[in-house]
Amino acid sequence: MSEQALLVDRLISDIRTGNYKPNDKLPSENELACYYQVPRIIVRKAYERLQELGYIFSKQGKGSYVQNQKLQIPLILTGDVSFSEKMSELNYNFETINITSEIISYDISIYHALKAEPNERIYKISRLRVVEDCPIAIHTSYLSQSTFRNIEREGKEITSIFQYYQEQGYIDFESMQSQLVVVFPNKQERELLKCPSLVPLIQLESGCVDRKSGKVLEYSQNIYRSDCFTYLM
């Protein structure tokens, strides 16, 4: 068995027996290389393999941490309650980070879902959801500037899309028909979600409609780490 495989086995054993607990920081590559008397590249490859297997995750500039294998969040994927409200009700520590606020090029499927004219300006607003220090979902909403006049200026500040609706006077809304598919993360999604390439994502395509006017408020494409959730439809 190679040095890398032996090191992977030792670290998995340490994690499973509780020597390293969920969210514990692992030794640096240099520290582990010195302790086991192996080249640093062996440790780096071992950490990469552990991340692929879902045992650890990395924080840029901070190191590697043990993944919480027991994080199973019951999440209702439909309805008119915001993600933030759901997490508060479940007493989870969470935060939302606005990662994208930009105008998009014409996309017939998105414009069709929004019932938007080809000359309308559509903005993409993406938020990274972090629960118990673990990035677990990316929520992306497409909003028309004809509906939300100040979206160009306000988009960078949005963390809760439902709260934003209410601030704009839309207080009675409902979800559109949803489509659920399983996908695998691309490079950018793996980096944001700190997940291994083998972990499938649950992608939910949906939208929201103002009940009073029938106006489509948004089209959404949300992705969730399948290893962190149980799903209630």
Side-chain angles (χ1 to χ4, degrees), residues 32-181:
L32 216 57
C34 181
Y35 183 80
Y36 284 109
Q37 293 297 295
V38 296
R40 182 179 173 184
I41 187 65
I42 296 295
V43 178
R44 180 175 301 173
K45 293 295 184 182
Y47 276 178
E48 288 175 357
R49 182 58 180 157
L50 287 170
Q51 189 164 337
E52 288 177 354
L53 294 171
Y55 283 97
I56 69 173
F57 65 96
S58 64
K59 294 183 181 180
Q60 187 172 4
K62 294 184 178 181
S64 296
Y65 295 77
V66 178
Q67 184 65 268
N68 187 350
Q69 300 289 321
K70 297 181 181 179
L71 186 61
Q72 290 291 298
I73 303 169
L75 185 62
I76 300 171
L77 297 177
T78 57
D80 55 4
V81 179
S82 73
F83 178 87
S84 299
E85 290 173 318
K86 293 171 186 174
M87 295 301 101
S88 293
E89 289 174 1
L90 294 168
N91 294 317
Y92 283 112
N93 293 318
F94 70 92
E95 66 173 320
T96 298
I97 304 167
N98 187 306
I99 55 175
T100 305
S101 176
E102 62 186 13
I103 194 169
I104 67 167
S105 301
Y106 179 76
D107 183 310
I108 188 170
S109 61
I110 294 173
Y111 274 68
H112 176 73
L114 287 169
K115 298 182 179 178
E117 297 296 329
N119 60 343
E120 288 187 53
R121 293 164 66 89
I122 305 299
Y123 280 80
K124 174 184 177 181
I125 312 295
S126 295
R127 292 88 66 208
L128 178 65
R129 309 297 200 175
V130 182
V131 177
E132 302 292 346
D133 294 321
C134 180
I136 49 81
I138 301 172
H139 289 180
T140 299
S141 301
Y142 295 91
L143 309 178
S144 172
Q145 192 172 35
S146 65
T147 302
F148 301 99
R149 300 292 182 183
N150 299 316
I151 190 65
E152 181 177 7
R153 173 170 53 85
E154 297 170 344
K156 298 179 179 64
E157 306 300 322
I158 294 174
T159 54
S160 171
I161 202 72
F162 283 5
Q163 181 180 336
Y164 184 66
Y165 294 160
Q166 293 165 351
E167 291 171 352
Q168 303 303 309
Y170 298 105
I171 59 174
D172 187 16
F173 43 82
E174 62 183 351
S175 295
M176 297 164 56
Q177 184 176 4
S178 302
Q179 179 178 350
L180 196 65
V181 296

